[in-house]
Amino acid sequence: MAVIPVLASLLLTLPTPLTPEKPVEARCDGVTVAVALPGELVVRCATGATDARQALDRTGLAVHAGRGEGPYGDAGYVCRINEVPSAIDDDCAGHADGDPYWKVWRVGLDPVAWRASQTGDGPAGVPVCPGALVGFSFGGEMPVSPEAVLDDPGWLPPRC
């Protein structure tokens, strides 16, 4: 008889899927940037950016660069976005193999899906152009599909 309350409590504690906030603009004239923060997916429009790092910096989120080298040997890597991870967890003095880090994602075709971008320059090495979509996640995959971020049927990534 105690099974029903246990099942009910399990159902109440299941994680809910992230629902992205939509950019203020109905349609982004620049680059759409999706950042997976704990419990939320922040979506912003960044105009005038030519690489993923510039786009991230233009979102209005608090971006803290690291000292030393990031996961791809990139100087000034993205260490923290909106205090994730906390300064207690990471002093931003470099990056050790196997530690979680901010990954940058681009969108590829066939199928339209997130692809990890591993460049020697980190996000600064990922070119973007108007109409593009880039994502950032800490220590894991992007939690939603590109289509869920854009809500634009038939969208395809531009050639940048």
Side-chain angles (χ1 to χ4, degrees), residues 35 37 53 56-57 61-67 77-93 101-102 138:
V35 180
L37 293 170
R53 178 56 193 264
L56 177 63
D57 288 340
L61 298 171
V63 180
H64 183 83
R67 302 179 313 277
Y77 66 99
V78 175
C79 176
R80 201 174 288 128
I81 302 174
N82 277 15
E83 297 307 315
V84 176
S86 73
I88 293 169
D89 296 328
D90 189 344
D91 66 0
C92 297
Y101 60 91
W102 279 102
F138 186 76

mmCIF file of all heavy atoms in Angstrom, residues 35 37 53 56-57 61-67 77-93 101-102 138:
data_model
loop_
_atom_site.group_PDB
_atom_site.id
_atom_site.type_symbol
_atom_site.label_atom_id
_atom_site.label_comp_id
_atom_site.label_asym_id
_atom_site.label_seq_id
_atom_site.Cartn_x
_atom_site.Cartn_y
_atom_site.Cartn_z
ATOM 1 N N VAL A 35 22.445 29.662 -24.271
ATOM 2 C CA VAL A 35 23.351 29.309 -23.170
ATOM 3 C C VAL A 35 22.575 28.460 -22.164
ATOM 4 O O VAL A 35 21.565 28.909 -21.610
ATOM 5 C CB VAL A 35 23.915 30.566 -22.478
ATOM 6 C CG1 VAL A 35 24.843 30.171 -21.337
ATOM 7 C CG2 VAL A 35 24.649 31.453 -23.483
ATOM 8 N N LEU A 37 22.193 27.269 -18.798
ATOM 9 C CA LEU A 37 22.535 27.515 -17.407
ATOM 10 C C LEU A 37 21.746 26.528 -16.550
ATOM 11 O O LEU A 37 20.754 25.962 -17.030
ATOM 12 C CB LEU A 37 22.192 28.957 -17.023
ATOM 13 C CG LEU A 37 23.027 30.034 -17.714
ATOM 14 C CD1 LEU A 37 22.437 31.415 -17.461
ATOM 15 C CD2 LEU A 37 24.467 29.984 -17.223
ATOM 16 N N ARG A 53 32.706 33.744 -29.677
ATOM 17 C CA ARG A 53 33.081 34.449 -28.450
ATOM 18 C C ARG A 53 32.526 35.867 -28.453
ATOM 19 O O ARG A 53 31.987 36.339 -27.450
ATOM 20 C CB ARG A 53 34.607 34.460 -28.285
ATOM 21 C CG ARG A 53 35.095 35.213 -27.061
ATOM 22 C CD ARG A 53 34.446 34.633 -25.787
ATOM 23 N NE ARG A 53 34.648 35.494 -24.642
ATOM 24 C CZ ARG A 53 35.602 35.351 -23.764
ATOM 25 N NH1 ARG A 53 36.477 34.378 -23.880
ATOM 26 N NH2 ARG A 53 35.693 36.179 -22.755
ATOM 27 N N LEU A 56 28.824 35.656 -27.740
ATOM 28 C CA LEU A 56 28.560 35.432 -26.321
ATOM 29 C C LEU A 56 28.758 36.719 -25.532
ATOM 30 O O LEU A 56 27.932 37.079 -24.690
ATOM 31 C CB LEU A 56 29.472 34.329 -25.780
ATOM 32 C CG LEU A 56 29.357 34.041 -24.284
ATOM 33 C CD1 LEU A 56 27.959 33.544 -23.925
ATOM 34 C CD2 LEU A 56 30.425 33.039 -23.860
ATOM 35 N N ASP A 57 29.837 37.427 -25.807
ATOM 36 C CA ASP A 57 30.127 38.672 -25.094
ATOM 37 C C ASP A 57 29.052 39.731 -25.317
ATOM 38 O O ASP A 57 28.864 40.612 -24.477
ATOM 39 C CB ASP A 57 31.491 39.230 -25.505
ATOM 40 C CG ASP A 57 32.651 38.416 -24.962
ATOM 41 O OD1 ASP A 57 32.453 37.655 -23.985
ATOM 42 O OD2 ASP A 57 33.763 38.534 -25.519
ATOM 43 N N LEU A 61 25.089 38.701 -20.898
ATOM 44 C CA LEU A 61 25.373 37.801 -19.784
ATOM 45 C C LEU A 61 26.753 38.137 -19.213
ATOM 46 O O LEU A 61 27.598 38.699 -19.907
ATOM 47 C CB LEU A 61 25.351 36.345 -20.259
ATOM 48 C CG LEU A 61 24.015 35.854 -20.806
ATOM 49 C CD1 LEU A 61 24.169 34.484 -21.443
ATOM 50 C CD2 LEU A 61 22.975 35.814 -19.705
ATOM 51 N N ALA A 62 26.975 37.798 -17.960
ATOM 52 C CA ALA A 62 28.263 38.040 -17.317
ATOM 53 C C ALA A 62 29.240 36.943 -17.739
ATOM 54 O O ALA A 62 29.094 35.795 -17.339
ATOM 55 C CB ALA A 62 28.111 38.055 -15.806
ATOM 56 N N VAL A 63 30.208 37.288 -18.585
ATOM 57 C CA VAL A 63 31.187 36.329 -19.104
ATOM 58 C C VAL A 63 32.539 36.647 -18.483
ATOM 59 O O VAL A 63 33.004 37.786 -18.539
ATOM 60 C CB VAL A 63 31.280 36.403 -20.648
ATOM 61 C CG1 VAL A 63 32.301 35.413 -21.172
ATOM 62 C CG2 VAL A 63 29.912 36.166 -21.276
ATOM 63 N N HIS A 64 33.151 35.632 -17.870
ATOM 64 C CA HIS A 64 34.437 35.801 -17.203
ATOM 65 C C HIS A 64 35.473 34.945 -17.926
ATOM 66 O O HIS A 64 35.310 33.735 -18.033
ATOM 67 C CB HIS A 64 34.311 35.363 -15.743
ATOM 68 C CG HIS A 64 35.553 35.565 -14.945
ATOM 69 N ND1 HIS A 64 35.896 36.769 -14.373
ATOM 70 C CD2 HIS A 64 36.548 34.709 -14.616
ATOM 71 C CE1 HIS A 64 37.024 36.644 -13.722
ATOM 72 N NE2 HIS A 64 37.456 35.404 -13.859
ATOM 73 N N ALA A 65 36.511 35.582 -18.441
ATOM 74 C CA ALA A 65 37.577 34.855 -19.132
ATOM 75 C C ALA A 65 38.529 34.223 -18.124
ATOM 76 O O ALA A 65 38.742 34.763 -17.036
ATOM 77 C CB ALA A 65 38.350 35.797 -20.042
ATOM 78 N N GLY A 66 39.083 33.093 -18.507
ATOM 79 C CA GLY A 66 40.052 32.418 -17.646
ATOM 80 C C GLY A 66 41.458 32.915 -17.903
ATOM 81 O O GLY A 66 41.738 33.567 -18.913
ATOM 82 N N ARG A 67 42.335 32.615 -16.964
ATOM 83 C CA ARG A 67 43.756 32.881 -17.119
ATOM 84 C C ARG A 67 44.393 31.558 -17.521
ATOM 85 O O ARG A 67 43.922 30.494 -17.155
ATOM 86 C CB ARG A 67 44.355 33.364 -15.802
ATOM 87 C CG ARG A 67 43.685 34.607 -15.260
ATOM 88 C CD ARG A 67 44.279 35.058 -13.920
ATOM 89 N NE ARG A 67 44.458 34.026 -12.917
ATOM 90 C CZ ARG A 67 43.500 33.583 -12.103
ATOM 91 N NH1 ARG A 67 42.270 34.037 -12.218
ATOM 92 N NH2 ARG A 67 43.759 32.674 -11.185
ATOM 93 N N TYR A 77 40.110 31.682 -22.361
ATOM 94 C CA TYR A 77 38.937 30.835 -22.587
ATOM 95 C C TYR A 77 37.751 31.293 -21.728
ATOM 96 O O TYR A 77 37.908 32.068 -20.790
ATOM 97 C CB TYR A 77 39.278 29.376 -22.287
ATOM 98 C CG TYR A 77 39.598 29.110 -20.830
ATOM 99 C CD1 TYR A 77 38.629 28.582 -19.980
ATOM 100 C CD2 TYR A 77 40.839 29.379 -20.298
ATOM 101 C CE1 TYR A 77 38.905 28.340 -18.644
ATOM 102 C CE2 TYR A 77 41.125 29.139 -18.967
ATOM 103 C CZ TYR A 77 40.152 28.624 -18.147
ATOM 104 O OH TYR A 77 40.423 28.393 -16.824
ATOM 105 N N VAL A 78 36.568 30.825 -22.057
ATOM 106 C CA VAL A 78 35.385 31.142 -21.271
ATOM 107 C C VAL A 78 35.426 30.274 -20.015
ATOM 108 O O VAL A 78 35.303 29.058 -20.091
ATOM 109 C CB VAL A 78 34.085 30.889 -22.059
ATOM 110 C CG1 VAL A 78 32.869 31.101 -21.170
ATOM 111 C CG2 VAL A 78 34.023 31.778 -23.289
ATOM 112 N N CYS A 79 35.607 30.908 -18.895
ATOM 113 C CA CYS A 79 35.680 30.187 -17.617
ATOM 114 C C CYS A 79 34.315 30.140 -16.943
ATOM 115 O O CYS A 79 33.906 29.103 -16.443
ATOM 116 C CB CYS A 79 36.681 30.861 -16.691
ATOM 117 S SG CYS A 79 36.742 30.111 -15.054
ATOM 118 N N ARG A 80 33.622 31.279 -16.953
ATOM 119 C CA ARG A 80 32.388 31.383 -16.193
ATOM 120 C C ARG A 80 31.366 32.208 -16.966
ATOM 121 O O ARG A 80 31.715 33.218 -17.569
ATOM 122 C CB ARG A 80 32.735 32.086 -14.867
ATOM 123 C CG ARG A 80 31.806 31.881 -13.760
ATOM 124 C CD ARG A 80 32.323 32.498 -12.454
ATOM 125 N NE ARG A 80 33.429 31.701 -11.933
ATOM 126 C CZ ARG A 80 34.612 32.183 -11.598
ATOM 127 N NH1 ARG A 80 34.868 33.460 -11.698
ATOM 128 N NH2 ARG A 80 35.553 31.391 -11.144
ATOM 129 N N ILE A 81 30.120 31.760 -16.966
ATOM 130 C CA ILE A 81 29.010 32.533 -17.526
ATOM 131 C C ILE A 81 27.965 32.644 -16.426
ATOM 132 O O ILE A 81 27.515 31.625 -15.888
ATOM 133 C CB ILE A 81 28.395 31.869 -18.778
ATOM 134 C CG1 ILE A 81 29.446 31.680 -19.874
ATOM 135 C CG2 ILE A 81 27.214 32.700 -19.302
ATOM 136 C CD1 ILE A 81 28.963 30.909 -21.089
ATOM 137 N N ASN A 82 27.590 33.875 -16.095
ATOM 138 C CA ASN A 82 26.630 34.126 -15.013
ATOM 139 C C ASN A 82 26.957 33.330 -13.754
ATOM 140 O O ASN A 82 26.090 32.706 -13.150
ATOM 141 C CB ASN A 82 25.196 33.854 -15.469
ATOM 142 C CG ASN A 82 24.612 35.035 -16.210
ATOM 143 O OD1 ASN A 82 25.324 35.938 -16.632
ATOM 144 N ND2 ASN A 82 23.312 35.027 -16.390
ATOM 145 N N GLU A 83 28.230 33.343 -13.388
ATOM 146 C CA GLU A 83 28.752 32.700 -12.174
ATOM 147 C C GLU A 83 28.623 31.177 -12.175
ATOM 148 O O GLU A 83 28.541 30.554 -11.110
ATOM 149 C CB GLU A 83 28.125 33.305 -10.917
ATOM 150 C CG GLU A 83 28.458 34.772 -10.733
ATOM 151 C CD GLU A 83 29.965 35.066 -10.777
ATOM 152 O OE1 GLU A 83 30.750 34.346 -10.145
ATOM 153 O OE2 GLU A 83 30.349 36.027 -11.468
ATOM 154 N N VAL A 84 28.602 30.568 -13.358
ATOM 155 C CA VAL A 84 28.636 29.100 -13.485
ATOM 156 C C VAL A 84 29.914 28.740 -14.217
ATOM 157 O O VAL A 84 30.124 29.210 -15.332
ATOM 158 C CB VAL A 84 27.421 28.570 -14.273
ATOM 159 C CG1 VAL A 84 27.533 27.067 -14.469
ATOM 160 C CG2 VAL A 84 26.127 28.928 -13.563
ATOM 161 N N PRO A 85 30.808 27.946 -13.590
ATOM 162 C CA PRO A 85 30.760 27.453 -12.221
ATOM 163 C C PRO A 85 31.105 28.570 -11.244
ATOM 164 O O PRO A 85 31.605 29.620 -11.643
ATOM 165 C CB PRO A 85 31.823 26.362 -12.208
ATOM 166 C CG PRO A 85 32.833 26.820 -13.206
ATOM 167 C CD PRO A 85 32.027 27.512 -14.283
ATOM 168 N N SER A 86 30.886 28.320 -9.984
ATOM 169 C CA SER A 86 31.178 29.351 -8.976
ATOM 170 C C SER A 86 32.693 29.531 -8.851
ATOM 171 O O SER A 86 33.474 28.653 -9.209
ATOM 172 C CB SER A 86 30.594 28.951 -7.626
ATOM 173 O OG SER A 86 31.351 27.900 -7.059
ATOM 174 N N ALA A 87 33.085 30.674 -8.323
ATOM 175 C CA ALA A 87 34.514 30.954 -8.108
ATOM 176 C C ALA A 87 35.117 29.964 -7.120
ATOM 177 O O ALA A 87 36.315 29.696 -7.167
ATOM 178 C CB ALA A 87 34.692 32.384 -7.620
ATOM 179 N N ILE A 88 34.313 29.405 -6.260
ATOM 180 C CA ILE A 88 34.803 28.404 -5.302
ATOM 181 C C ILE A 88 35.190 27.123 -6.042
ATOM 182 O O ILE A 88 36.167 26.469 -5.713
ATOM 183 C CB ILE A 88 33.735 28.108 -4.232
ATOM 184 C CG1 ILE A 88 33.531 29.350 -3.374
ATOM 185 C CG2 ILE A 88 34.119 26.900 -3.376
ATOM 186 C CD1 ILE A 88 32.336 29.279 -2.450
ATOM 187 N N ASP A 89 34.402 26.769 -7.077
ATOM 188 C CA ASP A 89 34.648 25.540 -7.824
ATOM 189 C C ASP A 89 35.750 25.674 -8.870
ATOM 190 O O ASP A 89 36.348 24.687 -9.268
ATOM 191 C CB ASP A 89 33.360 25.062 -8.509
ATOM 192 C CG ASP A 89 32.290 24.680 -7.503
ATOM 193 O OD1 ASP A 89 32.648 24.210 -6.405
ATOM 194 O OD2 ASP A 89 31.101 24.857 -7.818
ATOM 195 N N ASP A 90 35.993 26.885 -9.364
ATOM 196 C CA ASP A 90 36.980 27.090 -10.426
ATOM 197 C C ASP A 90 37.567 28.482 -10.285
ATOM 198 O O ASP A 90 36.850 29.471 -10.367
ATOM 199 C CB ASP A 90 36.307 26.921 -11.794
ATOM 200 C CG ASP A 90 37.282 26.890 -12.948
ATOM 201 O OD1 ASP A 90 38.450 27.293 -12.776
ATOM 202 O OD2 ASP A 90 36.885 26.466 -14.045
ATOM 203 N N ASP A 91 38.884 28.555 -10.084
ATOM 204 C CA ASP A 91 39.530 29.871 -9.938
ATOM 205 C C ASP A 91 39.946 30.467 -11.281
ATOM 206 O O ASP A 91 40.571 31.515 -11.320
ATOM 207 C CB ASP A 91 40.719 29.784 -8.986
ATOM 208 C CG ASP A 91 41.854 28.916 -9.536
ATOM 209 O OD1 ASP A 91 41.726 28.370 -10.654
ATOM 210 O OD2 ASP A 91 42.872 28.783 -8.835
ATOM 211 N N CYS A 92 39.615 29.800 -12.374
ATOM 212 C CA CYS A 92 39.866 30.290 -13.731
ATOM 213 C C CYS A 92 41.354 30.475 -14.034
ATOM 214 O O CYS A 92 41.747 31.330 -14.819
ATOM 215 C CB CYS A 92 39.113 31.592 -14.008
ATOM 216 S SG CYS A 92 37.323 31.403 -13.928
ATOM 217 N N ALA A 93 42.195 29.649 -13.414
ATOM 218 C CA ALA A 93 43.636 29.759 -13.612
ATOM 219 C C ALA A 93 44.159 28.790 -14.667
ATOM 220 O O ALA A 93 45.350 28.658 -14.849
ATOM 221 C CB ALA A 93 44.356 29.520 -12.292
ATOM 222 N N TYR A 101 33.978 21.977 -18.665
ATOM 223 C CA TYR A 101 34.274 23.311 -19.184
ATOM 224 C C TYR A 101 33.108 23.763 -20.056
ATOM 225 O O TYR A 101 32.223 22.985 -20.394
ATOM 226 C CB TYR A 101 35.585 23.309 -19.986
ATOM 227 C CG TYR A 101 35.570 22.373 -21.179
ATOM 228 C CD1 TYR A 101 35.159 22.811 -22.427
ATOM 229 C CD2 TYR A 101 35.946 21.033 -21.046
ATOM 230 C CE1 TYR A 101 35.125 21.946 -23.515
ATOM 231 C CE2 TYR A 101 35.920 20.170 -22.121
ATOM 232 C CZ TYR A 101 35.512 20.635 -23.349
ATOM 233 O OH TYR A 101 35.466 19.783 -24.420
ATOM 234 N N TRP A 102 33.128 25.049 -20.415
ATOM 235 C CA TRP A 102 32.097 25.593 -21.299
ATOM 236 C C TRP A 102 32.391 25.153 -22.729
ATOM 237 O O TRP A 102 33.402 25.549 -23.305
ATOM 238 C CB TRP A 102 32.053 27.121 -21.206
ATOM 239 C CG TRP A 102 31.288 27.585 -20.020
ATOM 240 C CD1 TRP A 102 31.816 28.050 -18.851
ATOM 241 C CD2 TRP A 102 29.879 27.602 -19.859
ATOM 242 N NE1 TRP A 102 30.797 28.357 -17.977
ATOM 243 C CE2 TRP A 102 29.599 28.095 -18.572
ATOM 244 C CE3 TRP A 102 28.813 27.255 -20.685
ATOM 245 C CZ2 TRP A 102 28.299 28.250 -18.088
ATOM 246 C CZ3 TRP A 102 27.521 27.403 -20.209
ATOM 247 C CH2 TRP A 102 27.276 27.890 -18.920
ATOM 248 N N PHE A 138 27.838 23.826 -20.117
ATOM 249 C CA PHE A 138 28.927 23.533 -19.203
ATOM 250 C C PHE A 138 28.932 22.051 -18.860
ATOM 251 O O PHE A 138 27.993 21.541 -18.243
ATOM 252 C CB PHE A 138 28.810 24.365 -17.918
ATOM 253 C CG PHE A 138 29.980 24.206 -17.008
ATOM 254 C CD1 PHE A 138 31.178 24.832 -17.293
ATOM 255 C CD2 PHE A 138 29.910 23.401 -15.891
ATOM 256 C CE1 PHE A 138 32.283 24.689 -16.466
ATOM 257 C CE2 PHE A 138 31.004 23.245 -15.047
ATOM 258 C CZ PHE A 138 32.190 23.880 -15.346
#
